[in-house]
Amino acid sequence: MDLKLIELASGKETGAVKVSDDVFGVEFNESLVHQVVNAYMAGARSGTKGQKNRSAVSGGGAKPWAQKGSGRARAGTTRSPVWVGGGRAFPGHNRDFSQKVNKKMYRGAMKSIFSELVRTDRLVVVDDFKVEAPKTKEFVAKLATLDLKDALVITEGFDEYLYLSARNLYHADVCDVASIDPVSLVGFKSIVVTQGAVKQLEEKLG
């Protein structure tokens, strides 16, 4: 399979990049993609509920008063659930929302997403994507050269200038091949991939 190669400086097609059909030409598996996207989003959730039982509350080591003779009800600790300042009887605990997704399923979902991006003409391959300085204006201008506004740019490695240029934009983002995730691939209208990143993707997903 061949993908059009766009020169970033001119925004025109200058050739083609040969890619593997095993990565960019597989059938779209909607149920698998849905499962992997849900699992990724679930893994980002943090279970923040946390309450203490009687053993987790500090203090309460000494018996408040003698077992007999005081006329009051017997008590073994001041941290009993029936006391003010005591622990909860059935406390809530932090919940782990993560879902298990094995490597084969994850790779299959990513291949399916990239293949669908190719079929729907949402994947743009460029020769390179760099900015001379961390300027948002320059980054937006380069996207405009490709006639794009809402896009995710995938590069071979982390580029600090690109990251700083795009971090104030809500409709654009930058990541390297090692940091891509299924939610971002699905969420952006267009995906811009450098020629070097395409080769890395083939090695990673092939």
Side-chain angles (χ1 to χ4, degrees):
M1 176 187 292
D2 291 332
L3 299 179
K4 293 186 294 185
L5 178 63
I6 308 297
E7 184 183 31
L8 185 63
S10 62
K12 296 180 180 180
E13 181 180 348
T14 58
V17 179
K18 191 170 184 62
V19 296
S20 171
D21 290 341
D22 293 335
V23 177
F24 295 94
V26 302
E27 185 178 351
F28 184 65
N29 190 335
E30 184 178 357
S31 61
L32 177 61
V33 172
H34 180 268
Q35 183 178 352
V36 171
V37 168
N38 273 1
Y40 185 87
M41 295 177 69
R45 295 181 65 181
S46 58
T48 55
K49 178 189 290 185
Q51 299 167 335
K52 296 181 178 181
N53 59 15
R54 58 186 294 173
S55 66
V57 177
S58 62
K63 187 173 174 63
W65 50 73
Q67 181 80 349
K68 294 176 177 294
S70 68
R72 291 174 289 187
R74 56 193 175 183
T77 174
T78 58
R79 296 301 179 256
S80 167
V82 300
W83 281 57
V84 175
R88 290 291 296 267
F90 301 102
H93 293 296
N94 292 343
R95 179 178 171 186
D96 182 11
F97 292 97
S98 63
Q99 302 174 18
K100 176 176 171 53
V101 174
N102 59 43
K103 292 181 180 179
K104 187 176 180 180
M105 290 173 60
Y106 181 80
R107 283 197 299 266
M110 296 295 281
K111 290 179 185 178
S112 188
I113 293 173
F114 276 111
S115 299
E116 187 66 12
L117 289 172
V118 172
R119 278 190 290 270
T120 55
D121 293 326
R122 292 169 53 201
L123 187 71
V124 180
V125 182
V126 295
D127 53 348
D128 201 2
F129 204 111
K130 292 183 181 298
V131 291
E132 299 299 327
K135 298 289 185 180
T136 302
K137 186 176 181 179
E138 184 179 349
F139 180 84
V140 172
K142 288 188 179 294
L143 286 182
T145 305
L146 302 171
D147 197 21
L148 297 176
K149 185 177 180 181
D150 187 318
L152 171 68
V153 179
I154 302 177
T155 59
E156 301 98 299
F158 176 75
D159 188 322
E160 185 178 6
Y161 281 3
L162 273 181
Y163 169 76
L164 294 175
S165 300
R167 65 177 178 175
N168 287 334
L169 299 173
Y170 68 90
H171 53 72
D173 200 4
V174 175
C175 72
D176 57 3
V177 173
S179 304
I180 58 174
D181 64 84
V183 175
S184 296
L185 293 177
V186 172
F188 286 94
K189 289 184 179 179
S190 300
I191 307 297
V192 180
V193 189
T194 62
Q195 189 174 1
V198 169
K199 300 304 179 184
Q200 289 186 7
L201 286 171
E202 286 186 312
E203 295 175 3
K204 182 177 181 179
L205 301 177

